[in-house]
Amino acid sequence: MTDLQQSAQYDAIVIGAGMSGMYQLYRLRELGLRVKVLEAGTGVGGTWYWNRYPGARFDSESYSYQFSFSKDLLNEWDWSEHFSGQPETLRYLNHVADKFDLRKDIQFRSRVKSAYYQEATNTWDVTLEDGSIFTSHFLITAVGPLSAPTMPTIPGVETFQGQSCHTARWPHEPVSFEGKRVAVIGTGATGVQTIQEVSKTAKHLTVFQRTPNWCAPLLNAKIGTEEMEKIRAGYDALFQRCMETFSCFIHTAVPRGTFEVTLEERQAFWEELYASPGFGIWLGNFNDILTNREANAELSAFVANKIRQRVKDQTVAEKLIPKNHGFGTRRVPMETKYYECYNQDNVKLVDISETPIERITPTGIKTSDAEYAFDIIIYATGFDAITGSFDRIDIRGVDGARLKDRWKHGPETYLGMTVDGFPNMMMLVGPHMALGNIPRTIEFNVEWVSDLVKYATDHNLQRIEPTPADVQAWTDHVKSLGEGNLMFEVNSWMTGWNSNVEGKQVRIINRYSGSAPDWRAKCNEVAARGYQEMAVG
Ligand code: NAP
């Protein structure tokens, strides 16, 4: 046993048993370390455990999203759809937990309340809500970028007498909408998936939309046995491609600007993309749609016309067309007959930018011009994204400094994985790293962190952290990459903006918006140089 191992109960504590926490556990166990994963839920899966709302499914291709680290796992798991539903994804993640016997090192029903760094021992004290304390040398956060749900700050929310639920805290028992008057507040990726599903069975569905989003057809399809074998035979090439593309998806921008081709050519290309499955129209488009305003405006006009063609009532169609941001400058919700829902007699759109919600009442929702009665209210109101799940834990580093205070004006990190003043703490899928197709980022992120942990353990290093200068340089670099990107000119979770969280009505650059290969190359350089940037001792 090394000195390090004697000073704490565990070598590493991982907070969260979603995809990143699960893989981190697998890797650290391989190194022979004593690891404990603390998870608030009753099962593994993170995002796919919590988000059980009706219609929840992948917006990226199932086979590009799964873990790629185990050939065995790839060989034994068949996907039933190109874009799998949440129940299948959760079954898959439970299968991963079974296969690698992960649960024995995961403590469920364990929400972490605080994590304090102890300078005397170079260890972390991690306290759960029930008061129990764990000590470890390394603290690894696997808390997810979209895992702190936010309810709207509308007066009267707690007074509603019917059933109400946030999509990310959906009950484990099925909820029937048959014969029910249902309200959905929110029209992001979650709201869109919920609306199109609930509209199939609800007696009446009222959608409360504050800002419309640009949605695009998902075009999901089943995968037959033969097709699955073909997909499996192409796994090596598929994962290789994901490592080469800008954001790790199978879709990537074409090497041409919008105006390098004729009007007819670009219209034909957009028709083709609109008729193709998945994120192609967003991520496989011309390479300047998110930087060239004219290009973005022309593409937006193309998609607006699609909405006008699909929605019968043109007054409703106009309400569904975003006016304050261009196509793709917010995360594009993928849809299946979403726009056609509004042609159904049982679906009504209420534009709350015109007639705001004044309050939730015991029987329903009161806007500035009407009162609606409901049996069920669904809050698809999103998350305190990226830093929200960190803010909810009292994380204190050297001299008791709080991470939340340190990040008051936006995150400061080195490579998106470490922060000076918070020694021996590493983040998985934290701020300032390439998000994109998240499992691809997770695998790299976990492997990089595991190598760093191994290096520190092999060298019996007590304390590792980046230098303040490197944190400043990386933070400046991330900010400079965001300049000129139209996404950072729009209020959305991707710019840290949240109308329901105090202090978060400001836009910040909280995401690395360069290419994933560039980010990985930078991280690999640091590792190859023996982590010189990390102050080690
Ligand atoms: P979101 O994109 O932040 O959308 C939240 C919605 O709630 C917005 O329409 C917002 O309106 C509305 N809202 C919030 N507070 C409100 C209030 N007080 N009054 C009225 N409306 C309010 O959240 P999300 O839809 O949960 O999606 C978040 C992210 O999760 C997505 O962008 C995506 O990355 C991920 N996701 C992925 C999948 C998938 O891959 N399958 C599925 C779902 C979600 P404003 O726009 O006006 O603020």
Side-chain angles (χ1 to χ4, degrees), residues 315-378:
T315 314
V316 175
E318 286 313 311
K319 288 184 196 300
L320 289 165
I321 297 172
K323 304 292 187 307
N324 66 355
H325 65 283
F327 181 86
T329 59
R330 284 173 143 200
R331 196 315 201 144
V332 174
M334 302 307 292
E335 49 86 20
T336 304
K337 300 202 166 78
Y338 172 66
Y339 290 111
E340 286 74 10
C341 289
Y342 296 99
N343 299 334
Q344 293 177 203
D345 292 339
N346 67 333
V347 179
K348 178 183 169 72
L349 180 69
V350 175
D351 181 347
I352 53 172
S353 68
E354 283 175 3
T355 54
I357 297 178
E358 287 182 347
R359 61 181 306 109
I360 308 289
T361 68
T363 53
I365 294 178
K366 183 177 180 325
T367 66
S368 60
D369 82 336
E371 195 155 352
Y372 301 86
F374 295 113
D375 302 302
I376 304 176
I377 299 179
I378 300 175

Side-chain angles (χ1 to χ4, degrees), residues 47-48 51 53 55-60 65 84 146 150-154 166-168 185-193 208-213 279 324 330-333 352 357 379-383 491-494 497-500:
T47 284
W48 302 101
N51 288 270
Y53 61 85
R57 68 171 58 251
F58 281 147
D59 273 351
S60 37
Y65 191 99
S84 287
L146 291 159
T150 46
M151 286 290 281
T153 50
I154 304 171
H166 192 287
T167 44
I185 302 179
T187 50
T190 303
V192 165
Q193 290 187 335
F208 292 86
Q209 172 192 270
R210 186 166 67 183
T211 313
N213 282 299
F279 279 138
N324 66 355
R330 284 173 143 200
R331 196 315 201 144
V332 174
I352 53 172
I357 297 178
Y379 295 98
T381 44
F383 302 88
N491 294 343
S492 82
W493 71 260
M494 290 186 154
W497 190 89
N498 188 310
S499 69
N500 305 306

Side-chain angles (χ1 to χ4, degrees), residues 371-506:
E371 195 155 352
Y372 301 86
F374 295 113
D375 302 302
I376 304 176
I377 299 179
I378 300 175
Y379 295 98
T381 44
F383 302 88
D384 183 0
I386 304 196
T387 51
S389 36
F390 289 90
D391 290 351
R392 279 158 177 71
I393 303 172
D394 181 11
I395 300 176
R396 299 193 202 184
V398 174
D399 294 333
R402 284 174 199 258
L403 187 65
K404 190 174 175 179
D405 295 339
R406 172 71 187 274
W407 285 359
K408 199 167 169 202
H409 303 293
E412 295 174 356
T413 78
Y414 184 54
L415 305 175
M417 293 191 262
T418 55
V419 188
D420 62 299
F422 295 81
N424 303 344
M425 180 183 95
M426 278 80 111
M427 300 178 287
L428 304 177
V429 208
H432 287 181
M433 66 172 64
L435 285 178
N437 185 5
I438 286 186
R440 303 282 66 78
T441 298
I442 285 174
E443 287 188 337
F444 176 83
N445 193 176
V446 163
E447 285 158 18
W448 196 92
V449 164
S450 305
D451 288 347
L452 176 58
V453 166
K454 179 171 170 17
Y455 182 90
T457 309
D458 288 351
H459 293 80
N460 203 18
L461 302 174
Q462 299 293 318
R463 173 169 167 159
I464 50 171
E465 63 181 307
T467 64
D470 282 311
V471 168
Q472 187 63 50
W474 182 255
T475 301
D476 291 346
H477 173 59
V478 170
K479 286 183 182 166
S480 71
L481 285 171
E483 282 161 20
N485 185 326
L486 300 177
M487 294 180 92
F488 289 105
E489 297 179 5
V490 174
N491 294 343
S492 82
W493 71 260
M494 290 186 154
T495 52
W497 190 89
N498 188 310
S499 69
N500 305 306
V501 181
E502 208 189 314
K504 295 213 170 168
Q505 286 92 52
V506 282

Side-chain angles (χ1 to χ4, degrees), residues 265-282:
E265 281 169 328
R266 51 185 186 264
Q267 293 279 331
F269 181 48
W270 288 337
E271 287 292 352
E272 193 187 305
L273 289 176
Y274 199 80
S276 309
F279 279 138
I281 192 152
W282 185 31

